[in-house]
Amino acid sequence: DQQVKQNSPSLSVQEGRISILNCDYTNSMFDYFLWYKKYPAEGPTFLISISSIKDKNEDGRFTVFLNKSAKHLSLHIVPSQPGDSAVYFCAAQAGANNLFFGTGTRLTVIP
Amino acid sequence: DTAVSQTPKYLVTQMGNDKSIKCEQNLGHDTMYWYKQDSKKFLKIMFSYNNKELIINETVPNRFSPKSPDKAHLNLHINSLELGDSAVYFCASSLNRGQGADEQFFGPGTRLTVL
């Protein structure tokens, strides 16, 4: 039973436009949510996180929105750049050191 | 000066063999992990060690045995390899702050292929 789901396996966006990656979860006890970015043949790298008590966190071009009532979060990238092309993983944290990952969404930013 | 390193990067072996994957981190982190990413791209935690002690042990066959000689190293030994063990294995580490988002740093992965 997968507790974190990313239902879109892929997304293509024009350079300069907004990329929106979505994530749903089932466990209301998760206390933090994180986004990781992964390039081919590399491990995931941390991008941005949000506490469950907040509804928005922004870091440069990256913003994460959390809707607790819908158990849904999204990552917005604006403007999208070709270097953003990667697989993005959503992760949810239950207590210390325990992350549950989604299956990832492959983002392609078209120049 | 790679933060989290794994060796080997690729491992091809026959069913029934025993193999090990090594992981080292130079970040001074207290906690290290092993994850398995299967063919469906599902990244799932297998083990977590904090200061050489096992703290998370998910439902993993006991053919998999992690060993942490010190807090900078967490090796994964797999006995009697099976076809279903074919996957990419990622090592990771993090500070054990006990609160806040647990930003984990991942190694590049080891692609294991069992023939």
Side-chain angles (χ1 to χ4, degrees), chain A residues 1-4 31-34 36 38 41-47 49-51 87 89 93 95-104 106, chain B residues 9-10 31 33 35 37 40-45 48 50 55-56 58 90 94-109:
Chain A
D1 61 335
Q2 209 171 323
Q3 299 190 53
V4 178
D31 45 11
Y32 288 91
F33 301 90
L34 302 87
Y36 282 78
K38 184 183 180 304
E42 295 183 12
T45 55
F46 171 76
L47 196 56
S49 65
I50 187 167
S51 163
V87 176
F89 288 95
Q93 181 175 330
N97 313 122
N98 198 0
L99 292 184
F100 295 84
F101 282 84
T103 49
R106 181 179 300 278
Chain B
K9 197 165 174 62
Y10 299 96
T31 308
Y33 313 80
Y35 286 86
Q37 186 180 36
K40 295 179 183 176
K41 306 302 181 188
F42 187 35
L43 189 62
K44 187 173 164 70
I45 192 165
S48 169
N50 179 258
I55 56 172
I56 292 175
E58 292 297 312
F90 288 98
S94 70
L95 280 172
N96 183 17
R97 295 175 295 185
Q99 59 182 5
D102 182 30
E103 180 185 339
Q104 296 183 11
F105 292 76
F106 284 78

Side-chain angles (χ1 to χ4, degrees), chain A residues 11-22 61-63 65 74-81 84-85 88 105 107-110:
Chain A
L11 173 69
S12 289
V13 170
Q14 283 294 132
E15 180 178 3
R17 308 292 279 268
I18 185 170
S19 295
I20 300 176
L21 298 107
N22 294 304
R61 298 186 297 114
F62 302 90
T63 304
F65 294 93
S74 60
L75 174 68
H76 293 213
I77 306 172
V78 58
S80 301
Q81 299 173 354
D84 296 330
S85 296
Y88 289 79
T105 297
L107 173 65
T108 303
V109 179
I110 304 163

Side-chain angles (χ1 to χ4, degrees), chain B residues 54-109:
Chain B
L54 182 66
I55 56 172
I56 292 175
N57 182 357
E58 292 297 312
T59 307
V60 175
N62 57 15
R63 298 182 294 104
F64 291 78
S65 53
K67 289 204 170 34
S68 182
D70 55 63
K71 75 172 194 176
H73 295 85
L74 180 62
N75 303 323
L76 183 65
H77 189 75
I78 316 170
N79 287 330
S80 303
L81 278 155
E82 300 177 356
L83 293 176
D85 297 332
S86 295
V88 181
Y89 292 84
F90 288 98
C91 177
S93 72
S94 70
L95 280 172
N96 183 17
R97 295 175 295 185
Q99 59 182 5
D102 182 30
E103 180 185 339
Q104 296 183 11
F105 292 76
F106 284 78

